[in-house]
Amino acid sequence: HCENASKAKHGAKIKAVIMKFFFDADANLKLLDGKTIAVIGFGSQGSAQAMCMKDSGLNVLIGLHEKSESKKTARDYGFEVR
């Protein structure tokens, strides 16, 4: 097992990490046809995720607090804001 890997210098354990990479071809966006995706917040993470999904042809709306300063920015990028 990974936890029982041989010890490195100074007695630290080595832990193997297995990663799987996903590519555009791995996604079936047809499963989301006719659906709307809501992204809550339009900060650094929300805006990036929303823009990527929108660029992929998905219907995305942004959920923001009524007094959010990000409302104008999200609308400027063409998002419906609620």
Side-chain angles (χ1 to χ4, degrees):
H1 286 191
C2 297
E3 292 85 31
N4 296 325
S6 57
K7 293 189 177 196
K9 274 186 173 179
H10 311 293
K13 285 187 179 181
I14 298 172
K15 185 173 182 179
V17 177
I18 299 171
M19 298 180 357
K20 181 170 180 168
F21 292 90
F22 292 92
F23 300 93
D24 289 347
D26 296 321
N28 182 359
L29 296 181
K30 291 190 187 302
L31 297 172
L32 298 172
D33 279 351
K35 300 191 189 262
T36 300
I37 299 162
V39 175
I40 309 302
F42 204 70
S44 60
Q45 293 296 311
S47 62
Q49 296 298 323
M51 285 189 254
C52 285
M53 289 187 284
K54 185 178 179 200
D55 289 346
S56 294
L58 301 175
N59 185 30
V60 180
L61 68 85
I62 308 298
L64 293 172
H65 187 273
E66 187 177 297
K67 297 178 183 178
S68 173
E69 295 178 11
S70 299
K71 287 173 93 172
K72 181 182 180 333
T73 304
R75 286 189 176 120
D76 289 347
Y77 277 102
F79 290 102
E80 176 184 350
V81 177
R82 292 190 189 179

